[in-house]
Amino acid sequence: MSSLRSVTAIDEGWTFKQADDESASFLPVAQFPTNIHLDLMHHKIIPDVFVGKNENDVQWIGEKDWIYKTSFQTPVELPKGSQAVLAFDGLDTHASVKLNGKEILKTENMFIPERVDITDALTSEKDGENELVITFESTWFIGKKLVEKYPDHHWGCWNGDASRLAVRKAQYHYGWDWGPMFMTCGPWRPISLEVYESRIADLYFSTNVDKSLKSAEVVAKAEIEGNATDVTFEISLNGDVVSTEAVKAQKGLATATFRTQNPELWYPHTYGKQPLYQLTATLSSEKVDVDKATKRFGLRRAEVVQKPLDGQDGTSFFFEVNNIPVFCGGSDWIPADNFIPRISRQKYRDWVKMVVDGNQVMIRVWGGGIFEEKHFYEACDEMGVLVWQDFLFGCGNYPANEPFLDLVKKEAEANVKILRHHPSIVIWAGNNEDYQYQESENLDYDPKDKDPSSWLKSSFPARYIYEKILPDACKELVPDTYYHYGSPFGGKDTRDPTIGDIHQWNVWHGTQEKYQNFDTLAGRFVSEFGMEGFPHIKTIDSYLPQGKDDPDRYPQSSTVDFHNKADGHERRIALYLVENMRYKFDPFEQFVYSTQLMQAECLASAYRLWKRQWKGPGREYCAGALVWQTNDCWPVTSWAIIDYYLRPKHAYYTVKRELQPITIGLKRTTSTKPANKYTRVDVKTTHTIEMWASNLSLEKRTMDVVLKAWDLETGEETYSTQVHSGYVLEPNRSVEITSFEVPVAKSNHQDAALRTVVAAYLVEDGKQVARYINWPEPLKYTHLQIPKHLKVEVAGGEGDETVEISAEVPIKGFALECEDDEVVFADNCVDIVPGETVRIGVKGLKAGEEKRLGTRYLNMNSD
């Protein structure tokens, strides 16, 4: 009689040592799965590599070979005709695996799961011990030798060493402009022993939701190994069985088709719920169950719409889910740690929850990292976050020799199979910025050349990967999910704003434009842009060897600089600060605040101005903005809007406000007109404000539009009017409302407009639903006043506490602070104007506990 497949985790008894140190003894691992840096830190053989400049002192690790070993018992019962298989979910990277002294596997790709039949390699003694030994060679040296082996290839990259291109290891391990270099190795994903006579090798399906959304079809498939052929498919929802069908496998494949009326559809969190159906396949033989597999899935239509636009060149590039065009405000995700095995399921969920709470609807898994852990994608499925998934190539000219292409093909097919059931994944992209690298180096690329074999002979042979291997894999395995050659890609080149997506780095990098002009830097879909900001001061203290007492606790210190990997960061942070605001280096906390405010203003400007260009059907001129980047992999100054310890920077909050369903925007411009073509004196200067609103909801909304103004030096309200009553905001678009000169009080002050703060409000049924404050810029020219009657109070109770803030003069970028990480604010870095009380939700504080709060705002230490 057949028996049920058994799976035993091989996660106990693991030890490790340096391969070439004969005097070293095997030491127990810190955890399992694991990697070498975690184990060495656990035993204090190396210090915390994130502290100070310890990164420099541990580079020797990547140039050594390391051995991991354990033992496990031969299964008590190994039924006749059954197989014993060791399943390795991930080995980093170049590994030789021996079982009882015999080599059973060699690996050279950390992203490919491996399975080895060890039936005949197990010790024959009943309950005998089997020794499993894995030797990890130095990937650094192997990569270097591969570069030498292929001298005709044009090796080159941005970030890290060019030898990274030769190996299939997470590219960020070589260091990036936001991350350190740690050449990890080890069993980074689970290892298990499976015993079975028959098994379900893969369970997968295709779904088709009718355009009407009234019906759906699910075609379920199970690939079978072994002699068992009876398969029962079951679909359930919320624990209730929806449908079931029993079939017989033919030539190792079982298929069943299910049709349902009025399906419960999966939506991004901004537009609906995320019901997840469960597909279960049970394999049986002679009426005895021998294996079971389960996958969760969501029913939804998802496509990328590229069609001609009204009034502008090029084509749209927007995501449509269940017939809803979605403006994709979101961010780019990098690995959340240099040492992936220590990221818990809960931490992944906390990260995704912060994305959702920040009103972001899309996250892009960047190509220099990893195919993320299942907990990440499960959280996106459950919380309704759309995922843009890059294949794992970034910022370089990858080789295309035959062994490398074979690895790439196997890697792509394996990981698409692993991830294809997730409803959150709506696009696969071939690489990150490799086409940009091709352009920068003038490598061969003729878009008219459609012969893949000729690409292999060019100086940009990786085109064969992006335009042949990867699309072929996607066409076969996920035919209903859009494949994009790269990010960015489209148009006459990667900078073409009219087709495809762009990475807009002319703020910070490139021409270093002013961020107030982001509207002139738009594209159909902006999948990268960003601005650096320092992390929370507590995060900085965490990496300073002596914490708050460290002599390097100042902005320009070598240790603080070491924890910023971006080339030219000193000049670029200084440029954007000095262009925009007054600031000081001391106290350090105020400087950190200034960089965060500058980042917050910059990113909010981008979202506000680009969302303005989402103008409805046929005019989706800009359909998405993904900020670089969501997160960090270590404590660092970077472009992240949330730092390594999940502490949000102020930009997180300003982006959150701009991505609310209903927003109002203002832009101030200054123009001059001479009285005649000769004069330099008789010139009229006009300060104009444009007003628009965005409604990302699916319903018409009727609003009152209110406008107010204040003198920023005296706090006097100089203007107040209702611009419109009953103004209709059409659904899922932005609309222009009006333009007007800056309203100034009757004054002899010739620069009255330059000291006037303007606020716009949307009011629905007497309730304020949107607010935006526009300031004269650059802010450094303003004479912001220190409030004499600043009021900060914690009110409410029973979980509904708020911080109430008011002042008699306008305040720019008012920030709440608290030493306790358990105190969490729903909003922060807000603008305050006289006559209003701003209320910010807070957790972790009780009414009357305002003394636990610190406050900070622009120019508070300007004297």
Side-chain angles (χ1 to χ4, degrees):
M1 180 179 290
S2 298
S3 58
L4 188 66
R5 180 176 71 103
S6 67
V7 180
T8 304
I10 308 298
D11 59 0
E12 296 181 353
W14 283 95
T15 58
F16 77 101
K17 73 181 289 287
Q18 186 176 321
D20 65 355
D21 187 350
E22 295 181 1
S23 64
S25 57
F26 279 92
L27 298 171
V29 298
Q31 59 178 73
F32 200 87
T34 189
N35 68 33
I36 190 60
H37 290 76
L38 292 176
D39 295 329
L40 292 173
M41 284 190 286
H42 175 71
H43 288 281
K44 297 184 169 42
I45 296 170
I46 60 172
D48 186 335
V49 296
F50 286 175
V51 171
K53 302 173 187 176
N54 290 339
E55 174 194 350
N56 290 337
D57 299 328
V58 299
Q59 292 307 311
W60 61 272
I61 297 169
E63 298 189 7
K64 297 294 183 182
D65 297 347
W66 298 89
I67 301 174
Y68 281 81
K69 73 174 184 179
T70 191
S71 61
F72 61 91
Q73 288 186 334
T74 296
V76 176
E77 293 186 10
L78 195 59
K80 185 178 180 180
S82 63
Q83 283 182 285
V85 171
L86 274 178
F88 302 87
D89 288 359
L91 298 176
D92 175 14
T93 293
H94 290 86
S96 172
V97 184
K98 290 184 177 181
L99 182 64
N100 298 327
K102 178 183 177 182
E103 185 173 273
I104 60 171
L105 175 67
K106 285 186 76 72
T107 71
E108 49 187 339
N109 188 320
M110 72 178 285
F111 309 118
I112 298 177
E114 301 282 0
R115 297 176 61 83
V116 183
D117 186 339
I118 60 167
T119 309
D120 297 330
L122 291 169
T123 181
S124 58
E125 298 179 18
K126 191 175 182 180
D127 297 337
E129 290 290 317
N130 298 274
E131 185 181 57
L132 180 63
V133 180
I134 310 175
T135 301
F136 292 91
E137 296 181 70
S138 167
T139 295
W140 172 263
F141 285 144
I142 289 172
K144 286 291 193 181
K145 292 173 182 176
L146 285 169
V147 169
E148 290 181 347
K149 184 177 179 179
Y150 299 99
D152 294 336
H153 179 63
H154 184 102
W155 297 97
C157 65
W158 300 321
N159 296 295
D161 188 83
S163 63
R164 69 175 173 81
L165 305 172
V167 295
R168 296 310 297 147
K169 177 175 176 60
Q171 301 289 269
Y172 83 108
H173 287 172
Y174 284 77
W176 221 264
D177 55 7
W178 36 257
M181 179 179 179
F182 294 122
M183 293 295 288
T184 59
C185 71
W188 74 293
R189 280 180 168 165
I191 299 173
S192 57
L193 172 65
E194 299 181 19
V195 177
Y196 58 88
E197 294 174 58
S198 297
R199 78 172 184 120
I200 300 171
D202 193 15
L203 174 63
Y204 59 104
F205 49 85
S206 62
T207 62
N208 180 28
V209 176
D210 187 76
K211 181 72 173 176
S212 69
L213 308 182
K214 300 292 187 182
S215 63
E217 178 183 85
V218 179
V219 179
K221 297 184 179 182
E223 294 180 1
I224 308 301
E225 289 181 11
N227 296 323
T229 58
D230 295 328
V231 178
T232 300
F233 291 102
E234 179 185 278
I235 293 180
S236 60
L237 180 65
N238 300 324
D240 298 324
V241 175
V242 175
S243 189
T244 184
E245 185 172 347
V247 300
K248 277 195 175 293
Q250 303 290 331
K251 297 181 180 180
L253 181 66
T255 303
T257 300
F258 300 90
R259 295 179 178 84
T260 183
Q261 300 299 312
N262 301 313
E264 295 197 29
L265 299 180
W266 185 96
Y267 285 87
H269 70 91
T270 46
Y271 291 112
K273 296 181 179 180
Q274 297 77 47
L276 293 173
Y277 289 82
Q278 182 166 289
L279 172 65
T280 302
T282 303
L283 176 65
S284 58
S285 177
E286 299 177 352
K287 299 184 179 181
V288 176
D289 293 348
V290 297
D291 198 11
K292 182 177 289 189
T294 299
K295 294 282 178 70
R296 293 192 306 171
F297 67 96
L299 289 173
R300 48 85 174 136
R301 292 178 60 87
E303 56 185 313
V304 176
V305 179
Q306 299 178 83
K307 61 184 181 181
L309 292 161
D310 298 336
Q312 290 192 14
D313 293 336
T315 54
S316 63
F317 191 96
F318 67 87
F319 291 83
E320 188 173 270
V321 181
N322 298 334
N323 303 335
I324 300 171
V326 179
F327 180 87
C328 289
S331 54
D332 296 290
W333 171 269
I334 67 169
D337 204 312
N338 276 92
F339 312 120
I340 299 297
R342 70 178 174 186
I343 307 176
S344 67
R345 175 181 181 272
Q346 186 57 52
K347 192 167 187 179
Y348 271 117
R349 296 186 68 81
D350 290 345
W351 274 113
V352 176
K353 182 66 161 54
M354 289 193 75
V355 167
V356 171
D357 289 346
N359 295 321
Q360 297 179 43
V361 73
M362 175 174 276
I363 196 163
R364 172 174 166 250
V365 180
W366 167 76
I370 63 171
F371 297 107
E372 268 299 345
E373 298 292 281
K374 66 178 183 179
H375 307 307
F376 172 85
Y377 299 103
E378 288 172 353
C380 291
D381 291 345
E382 293 172 16
M383 299 184 202
V385 178
L386 301 177
V387 174
W388 172 312
Q389 178 68 54
D390 283 358
F391 283 97
L392 303 185
F393 305 90
C395 297
N397 185 32
Y398 286 83
N401 54 74
E402 189 172 342
F404 190 82
L405 294 181
D406 289 344
L407 274 180
V408 168
K409 184 175 188 294
K410 188 177 179 183
E411 171 191 319
E413 291 174 351
N415 285 281
V416 171
K417 285 180 179 180
I418 290 170
L419 299 177
R420 60 182 165 182
H421 64 286
H422 291 289
S424 53
I425 299 177
V426 292
I427 183 173
W428 288 83
N431 64 78
N432 172 78
E433 296 186 353
D434 290 358
Y435 285 97
Q436 282 192 326
Y437 185 83
Q438 169 265 317
E439 291 169 358
S440 73
E441 296 295 309
N442 294 314
L443 303 177
D444 299 335
Y445 188 82
D446 180 3
K448 296 178 182 178
D449 179 5
K450 303 300 182 182
D451 177 15
S453 63
S454 72
W455 307 339
L456 294 171
K457 302 169 187 174
S458 73
S459 60
F460 183 54
R463 179 182 182 184
Y464 188 88
I465 297 173
Y466 315 137
E467 299 184 28
K468 175 62 176 170
I469 292 178
L470 300 181
D472 283 356
C474 289
K475 184 177 181 180
E476 177 186 354
L477 300 172
V478 282
D480 297 328
T481 303
Y482 180 73
Y483 174 79
H484 195 47
Y485 285 161
S487 182
F489 190 88
K492 63 182 182 295
D493 58 34
T494 60
R495 298 177 299 277
D496 187 342
T498 67
I499 297 175
D501 69 317
I502 63 169
H503 290 185
Q504 183 48 270
W505 281 109
N506 281 318
V507 170
W508 182 270
H509 290 301
T511 54
Q512 297 180 354
E513 302 290 331
K514 295 180 184 298
Y515 59 71
Q516 289 85 351
N517 298 330
F518 261 128
D519 50 349
T520 66
L521 304 173
R524 298 293 173 244
F525 195 105
V526 186
S527 47
E528 278 191 24
F529 68 99
M531 175 60 67
E532 281 204 346
F534 272 60
H536 196 287
I537 192 67
K538 290 172 69 173
T539 298
I540 296 171
D541 290 342
S542 76
Y543 69 67
L544 292 172
Q546 299 177 45
K548 289 183 177 181
D549 299 321
D550 198 284
D552 263 9
R553 195 179 189 266
Y554 62 95
Q556 296 165 296
S557 74
S558 64
T559 305
V560 171
D561 262 357
F562 188 82
H563 284 254
N564 188 334
K565 300 297 187 179
D567 287 342
H569 64 264
E570 303 96 334
R571 285 171 290 165
R572 292 174 190 183
I573 289 176
L575 168 68
Y576 283 100
L577 279 174
V578 79
E579 278 188 345
N580 287 287
M581 61 191 67
R582 287 187 278 173
Y583 66 96
K584 285 185 175 183
F585 290 120
D586 189 31
F588 194 3
E589 289 82 353
Q590 187 69 13
F591 179 79
V592 169
Y593 162 83
S594 296
T595 70
Q596 287 200 13
L597 176 62
M598 180 261 293
Q599 181 193 34
E601 289 288 293
C602 171
L603 302 186
S605 173
Y607 282 101
R608 184 166 55 253
L609 294 169
W610 290 339
K611 194 170 69 167
R612 182 185 186 183
Q613 299 184 34
W614 176 253
K615 291 182 176 293
R619 299 198 299 158
E620 301 93 348
Y621 303 135
C622 182
L626 308 180
V627 66
W628 185 268
Q629 62 214 63
T630 319
N631 59 322
D632 283 322
C633 64
W634 75 313
V636 64
T637 297
S638 77
W639 298 272
I641 60 174
I642 309 168
D643 74 27
Y644 173 74
Y645 295 106
L646 285 89
R647 295 176 177 131
K649 300 180 188 178
H650 292 320
Y652 172 82
Y653 297 105
T654 58
V655 169
K656 176 181 180 177
R657 292 198 290 272
E658 293 299 339
L659 290 179
Q660 292 180 121
I662 307 292
T663 57
I664 190 165
L666 302 173
K667 180 173 181 177
R668 185 182 306 216
T669 58
T670 300
S671 60
T672 56
K673 184 178 182 181
N676 57 66
K677 64 181 180 180
Y678 303 108
T679 184
R680 292 184 301 114
V681 177
D682 190 4
V683 178
K684 180 182 179 182
T685 299
T686 304
H687 301 278
T688 303
I689 290 182
E690 300 165 350
M691 178 193 290
W692 68 93
S694 299
N695 173 15
L696 296 186
S697 77
L698 301 181
E699 298 177 352
K700 286 184 180 181
R701 304 287 289 271
T702 302
M703 304 282 176
D704 296 333
V705 183
V706 176
L707 187 71
K708 294 185 178 183
W710 295 264
D711 185 305
L712 66 78
E713 295 185 25
T714 67
E716 177 189 358
E717 184 178 292
T718 57
Y719 189 81
S720 180
T721 189
Q722 181 169 287
V723 179
H724 286 287
S725 175
Y727 192 87
V728 176
L729 301 183
E730 295 293 331
N732 204 7
R733 72 195 68 185
S734 298
V735 60
E736 302 297 313
I737 297 178
T738 188
S739 64
F740 51 90
E741 289 191 27
V742 173
V744 297
K746 293 180 180 180
S747 170
N748 294 325
H749 199 293
Q750 62 179 355
D751 293 327
L754 300 181
R755 52 186 283 173
T756 299
V757 177
V758 179
Y761 307 85
L762 293 176
V763 179
E764 185 178 40
D765 297 329
K767 181 181 178 181
Q768 177 183 301
V769 296
R771 167 188 188 261
Y772 178 66
I773 314 296
N774 176 272
W775 300 75
E777 292 190 273
L779 291 165
K780 64 183 179 180
Y781 291 160
T782 60
H783 297 159
L784 294 168
Q785 302 298 300
I786 305 297
K788 296 178 180 178
H789 303 289
L790 176 63
K791 188 176 181 181
V792 180
E793 294 181 341
V794 180
E798 297 183 0
D800 195 28
E801 289 81 6
T802 60
V803 182
E804 299 183 347
I805 309 149
S806 61
E808 84 286 4
V809 291
I811 302 176
K812 179 63 189 174
F814 184 87
L816 294 167
E817 299 177 352
C818 187
E819 280 291 314
D820 187 352
D821 279 341
E822 298 302 312
V823 174
V824 178
F825 302 108
D827 200 0
N828 216 331
C829 197
V830 295
D831 294 341
I832 308 297
V833 289
E836 289 186 30
T837 298
V838 172
R839 294 174 175 84
I840 294 176
V842 63
K843 294 180 180 179
L845 286 180
K846 297 179 180 178
E849 291 189 327
E850 50 272 356
K851 289 185 178 180
R852 294 175 59 189
L853 295 173
T855 61
R856 204 169 294 281
Y857 47 89
L858 185 61
N859 287 12
M860 68 179 287
N861 297 108
S862 59
D863 296 335

